[in-house]
Amino acid sequence: MRVNLFKSTAVALGVFCVGLAYAVPPPISESSLLPLSQEEQHSIASKRISALFTRSHYKHFVLDDQISQRIFDLYLQALDYNRSVLLAADVANFESFRNQFDDALQTGDLKNAYAMYNLSTKRRYERYSYALSLLDTPMSFDVTDKYEFDRSKGAWPKDEAEVNELWRQRVKYDQLNLKLAGKKPSEIKELLTKRYSNAIKRLKQDESEDVFQAVMNAYARSIDPHTSYLSPRNAERFNSEMNLSLEGIGAVLQADDDFTVVRSLIPGGPADKTKLLRPDDRITGVAQGKGKVIDVIGWRLDDVVELIKGRKGTKVRLEIQRGKGATHQTQVIELTRDKVRLEDRAAKSQVIKTGGKKIGVIEVPSFYVNLHLDVQKELTKLNAQKIDGLMIDLRNDGGGALTEATELTGLFMKQGPVVQIRDTMGRVAVNEDTDGKSYYDGPMTVLIDRYSASASEIFAAAMNDYGRALIIGENSFGKGTVQQHRALGKIYDFFENELGHVQYTIAKFYRIDGGSTQNKGVQPDIGFPPLVDPTETGESVERNALPWDKIEPAKYTKLGDFTALLPKLKELHQQRVKTDPEFKYAEEDIAWYQTEKNKKYISLNEAERIKTRDEQDAKALQRANERLTRMGKPVVKSLNDLPTDIKFPDGYLHEAANITADLVRLGQS
């Protein structure tokens, strides 16, 4: 996912032409946009952050011209990710600052960064104003035309004519999307007038703190992807479990260019329970109850969050674009706000009967405090049901408490090392299980996916290295670093507001075999088709990610070895998935994605877009009816007729249970 980590304000496109008679005039004058400058506390905070990162970060580095160049590129990316606001001449003028960010951060003099920000604000005003000027221009949707939606690696527009053409495409793209959603011409003009006018008015809401945060995060991300600066307001959010989340529906958001994008779902929250919202969905509109949908494209992330927040029991409707689909069609979903309760997030178990075996499954949504006690209770329930094998489901588990990874591992072996941790001084500590007890000794598998990260990877790696459990699924995320959260303020400061907080990497995880989980993650013994592209998601694709390396292995004794069983297990698995419809769907989706992922353009021809939409809808309806038929339920005539509470079978979970049953049988023989 391409994420703008620094700003939630939309990136503008287009250009202002002097003397142009506007079809729709801008809501405010350009002269009302006062330039921003740094405040006193920012100089202090800049010097403290510079000193802290160079002194205490795990990655020993010198803040020099090389780092300055990285900061410059990241900051420029934050100002104009899609290269459709600034002109080539603007960027050329900025080049004189490229090697000056290192000195600026250490002295606390950020005037160059503020100058860049102020010019980008001016250009955004010009681009949005030009967009408004096009709203009375008739546009034809029956000709060959296209919109370049991904210009992140393209050339900067060389002149106003070129940037005007980019914005003509963008306005036409917005109009066609609304037309395909059933809007009338008058409604389209009204909606886009509000969208572009609101974007201009929000330019006045930018504050000095926004600039400072953008610069500091460019610095932080130049070191590694998990180091960051949090403004006083964002630090408050970080200290709550709902950091940058939609309070009331349980979803974590990030800004991605013009859009608010769902990063992940909080286990047990309303969005997670209903399965109506998914990671990578784009939120384009919000409505309260049965009220009118408010267009939120281009809004600040904070403002979108505020709009969706609400009292428990109230309803909110979200207009979304599903995932990264090429048609960019919207649909409206309704969620009832609620609080995420601890019991909803706790580990849960079930029993799947397959191949004459009873397979216990424990779903672990996160490594929360006392997770191991909850899993211990679930093991007691499953043992009472005399299960033949056990599976731990770690899909979408982003990790949590390191201590819980050690405690959870200890439930399945009597004693031994679990994970090695090397700090910034090169010292290695080993976390061990020492209680001498095991709560389950039978055949065992662990199911992971690309979103299994951090503590999940520690547990899966330990089970793998000991030969205690067979690992199934996708390659895990590959986050093998430890971060520390620290306030910048000191007791003798006299600022009205706090200086904010930083989060920075202080250590690295290593498996007991000596290899890091960083970048490489945990590789499954039996792999499933990846539901997300591993070349686009995971630690290894993050900019400036710390490298994989290896240290001395810990002293441990293997508990098992699947080498002899793996060929037969894989053979049985392949025989099943050849005829498994869910795996067939996954393979089809992967093949389709491979053909689409490198496309940077989308058609602006209405007939072509309708054809693509209808084909995708027909395919989705066909799959839904095939699933309903297999479930013994009546088919539907349209996707809108599907029951909102329908839960289709989890193909990957059931195949993992089949593999676990195979493991039981082969082990017995």
Side-chain angles (χ1 to χ4, degrees):
M1 180 189 297
R2 296 181 294 271
V3 178
N4 182 336
L5 294 165
F6 312 111
K7 268 183 72 66
S8 54
T9 305
V11 173
L13 307 168
V15 69
F16 167 81
C17 293
V18 177
L20 186 66
Y22 290 114
V24 179
I28 59 174
S29 66
E30 185 178 341
S31 61
S32 69
L33 295 173
L34 301 179
L36 299 172
S37 58
Q38 75 178 80
E39 298 171 355
E40 182 184 0
Q41 71 271 19
H42 296 147
S43 178
I44 302 295
S46 176
K47 288 185 276 191
R48 288 184 187 174
I49 293 170
S50 298
L52 182 62
F53 286 172
T54 53
R55 183 179 65 244
S56 304
H57 196 280
Y58 181 85
K59 181 180 180 179
H60 297 287
F61 69 96
V62 177
L63 184 51
D64 56 12
D65 285 354
Q66 185 178 6
I67 297 292
S68 179
Q69 291 166 18
R70 288 188 201 167
I71 298 170
F72 175 85
D73 288 336
L74 285 164
Y75 184 54
L76 190 58
Q77 183 186 69
L79 296 180
D80 187 8
Y81 176 83
N82 218 33
R83 300 192 175 193
S84 43
V85 174
L86 299 167
L87 297 174
D90 297 329
V91 177
N93 289 333
F94 292 159
E95 280 295 323
S96 61
F97 304 150
R98 177 175 287 277
N99 292 330
Q100 297 178 11
F101 273 84
D102 54 332
D103 298 325
L105 289 166
Q106 293 175 93
T107 62
D109 183 0
L110 304 173
K111 61 178 180 294
N112 292 341
Y114 278 81
M116 292 173 67
Y117 195 99
N118 288 329
L119 180 60
S120 74
T121 299
K122 179 179 186 302
R123 292 288 183 254
R124 285 198 297 274
Y125 179 90
E126 294 168 355
R127 309 302 179 238
Y128 281 123
S129 298
Y130 181 75
L132 287 170
S133 77
L134 296 177
L135 292 182
D136 273 346
T137 303
M139 293 195 177
S140 175
F141 301 110
D142 59 0
V143 296
T144 300
D145 201 357
K146 60 185 179 181
Y147 166 53
E148 187 179 6
F149 61 86
D150 181 5
R151 300 197 70 259
S152 58
K153 293 181 175 59
W156 299 95
K158 63 179 182 295
D159 53 32
E160 288 188 357
E162 188 172 324
V163 84
N164 282 352
E165 171 58 15
L166 293 176
W167 192 232
R168 181 199 67 80
Q169 294 174 9
R170 175 57 188 269
V171 173
K172 187 173 181 179
Y173 166 78
D174 288 343
Q175 289 183 349
L176 180 55
N177 281 349
L178 293 171
K179 189 172 189 287
L180 291 172
K183 302 295 183 185
K184 298 176 181 177
S186 59
E187 293 175 310
I188 292 172
K189 180 178 179 181
E190 179 185 359
L191 275 168
L192 292 183
T193 298
K194 285 182 180 178
R195 182 182 299 178
Y196 304 150
S197 296
N198 286 339
I200 289 176
K201 287 188 284 188
R202 279 191 293 275
L203 294 175
K204 288 193 71 171
Q205 298 173 13
D206 286 354
E207 300 173 349
S208 179
E209 184 63 46
D210 295 320
V211 188
F212 183 73
Q213 180 164 272
V215 180
M216 289 303 113
N217 273 316
Y219 173 31
R221 294 299 194 266
S222 74
I223 308 168
D224 89 308
H226 302 291
T227 294
S228 62
Y229 165 77
L230 297 171
S231 68
R233 181 168 55 179
N234 285 339
E236 246 179 78
R237 287 200 179 124
F238 181 87
N239 289 330
S240 72
E241 214 173 26
M242 292 287 209
N243 177 37
L244 293 184
S245 69
L246 303 183
E247 288 184 34
I249 69 169
V252 180
L253 300 182
Q254 282 184 328
D256 183 356
D257 205 21
D258 288 353
F259 293 93
T260 297
V261 178
V262 177
R263 189 180 75 187
S264 61
L265 303 180
I266 306 286
D272 178 52
K273 286 181 176 179
T274 62
K275 308 300 181 187
L276 295 176
L277 199 64
R278 304 172 190 167
D280 292 335
D281 284 351
R282 295 174 168 189
I283 298 175
T284 60
V286 181
Q288 308 301 326
K290 300 297 181 184
K292 187 177 180 181
V293 174
I294 299 173
D295 183 274
V296 296
I297 295 177
W299 281 39
R300 291 174 64 105
L301 182 61
D302 290 351
D303 295 335
V304 179
V305 170
E306 287 300 319
L307 200 58
I308 299 176
K309 281 167 129 181
R311 290 179 290 107
K312 174 183 175 181
T314 59
K315 295 184 182 298
V316 62
R317 288 185 295 131
L318 304 180
E319 181 185 71
I320 62 169
Q321 289 179 357
R322 176 66 72 204
K324 301 177 183 177
T327 62
H328 295 268
Q329 293 302 124
T330 61
Q331 59 181 283
V332 177
I333 63 172
E334 183 177 85
L335 298 169
T336 301
R337 297 178 176 104
D338 200 354
K339 289 186 177 180
V340 179
R341 295 169 301 207
L342 182 59
E343 58 268 28
D344 291 331
R345 300 188 59 189
K348 292 182 174 65
S349 66
Q350 62 171 307
V351 173
I352 297 177
K353 295 180 180 179
T354 180
K357 302 297 179 183
K358 294 165 68 175
I359 305 302
V361 179
I362 299 180
E363 180 186 354
V364 178
S366 67
F367 280 70
Y368 55 88
V369 176
N370 291 328
L371 163 69
H372 69 288
L373 296 179
D374 288 343
V375 172
Q376 194 174 323
K377 292 175 186 175
E378 298 306 314
L379 285 173
T380 300
K381 295 178 187 176
L382 293 174
N383 284 327
Q385 297 179 67
K386 298 184 178 179
I387 59 171
D388 299 297
L390 175 70
M391 175 168 52
I392 304 295
D393 185 357
L394 296 179
R395 290 175 300 168
N396 297 305
D397 186 331
L402 171 63
T403 53
E404 289 299 329
T406 303
E407 295 283 2
L408 185 64
T409 303
L411 297 181
F412 306 105
M413 62 182 207
K414 291 185 177 180
Q415 60 185 19
V418 174
V419 62
Q420 302 185 90
I421 306 165
R422 184 168 68 178
D423 66 16
T424 186
M425 302 297 291
R427 296 170 298 197
V428 177
V430 180
N431 285 12
E432 299 187 53
D433 171 55
T434 59
D435 66 1
K437 296 179 182 178
S438 175
Y439 293 85
Y440 176 77
D441 298 317
M444 183 174 168
T445 60
V446 176
L447 179 59
I448 58 174
D449 66 6
R450 193 60 172 168
Y451 297 113
S452 304
S454 195
S456 290
E457 296 176 287
I458 292 171
F459 172 77
M463 294 290 97
N464 185 232
D465 290 342
Y466 274 108
R468 178 64 188 90
L470 191 74
I471 311 300
I472 303 171
E474 304 171 53
N475 204 96
S476 65
F477 189 88
K479 182 183 181 294
T481 56
V482 188
Q483 282 70 47
Q484 182 177 75
H485 188 67
R486 181 169 173 177
L488 292 170
K490 301 184 184 296
I491 57 172
Y492 51 77
D493 289 334
F494 294 100
F495 300 110
E496 288 186 16
N497 298 315
E498 288 185 68
L499 297 180
H501 292 62
V502 287
Q503 178 176 278
Y504 59 100
T505 301
I506 59 168
K508 208 168 178 182
F509 295 130
Y510 292 85
R511 302 169 64 139
I512 55 175
D513 73 354
S516 174
T517 57
Q518 176 67 9
N519 277 343
K520 288 189 177 182
V522 178
Q523 184 177 1
D525 297 305
I526 297 180
F528 287 173
L531 296 178
V532 293
D533 189 345
T535 65
E536 292 193 355
T537 305
E539 186 78 5
S540 59
V541 301
E542 295 284 351
R543 197 167 182 172
N544 301 316
L546 298 184
W548 179 90
D549 61 348
K550 192 170 185 177
I551 63 174
E552 288 295 317
K555 293 181 180 179
Y556 69 101
T557 302
K558 287 184 73 73
L559 303 175
D561 189 346
F562 298 107
T563 305
L565 299 180
L566 264 178
K568 186 61 177 177
L569 288 169
K570 289 181 178 180
E571 179 188 340
L572 294 170
H573 162 65
Q574 289 300 328
Q575 288 174 358
R576 279 190 300 269
V577 298
K578 280 181 184 177
T579 57
D580 188 307
E582 295 300 330
F583 276 77
K584 179 186 174 185
Y585 297 154
E587 296 285 3
E588 289 174 353
D589 289 343
I590 292 166
W592 174 85
Y593 179 75
Q594 292 301 322
T595 64
E596 297 288 323
K597 71 173 185 176
N598 293 323
K599 292 183 179 179
K600 299 181 183 297
Y601 294 88
I602 186 169
S603 173
L604 295 177
N605 181 282
E606 184 177 8
E608 288 181 19
R609 291 282 294 279
I610 289 174
K611 180 174 181 290
T612 301
R613 179 191 66 189
D614 290 348
E615 286 174 351
Q616 291 193 351
D617 285 349
K619 183 177 181 180
L621 179 61
Q622 179 185 347
R623 286 186 182 180
N625 280 329
E626 287 173 355
R627 285 168 170 146
L628 289 170
T629 299
R630 290 194 295 271
M631 296 168 68
K633 296 181 180 293
V635 298
V636 295
K637 292 183 178 180
S638 76
L639 294 172
N640 293 331
D641 296 330
L642 279 171
T644 57
D645 60 347
I646 189 73
K647 288 186 177 181
F648 289 130
D650 184 339
Y652 279 15
L653 179 69
H654 285 276
E655 175 53 22
N658 287 333
I659 294 172
T660 311
D662 290 341
L663 180 64
V664 172
R665 285 191 295 271
L666 291 174
Q668 289 173 340
S669 64

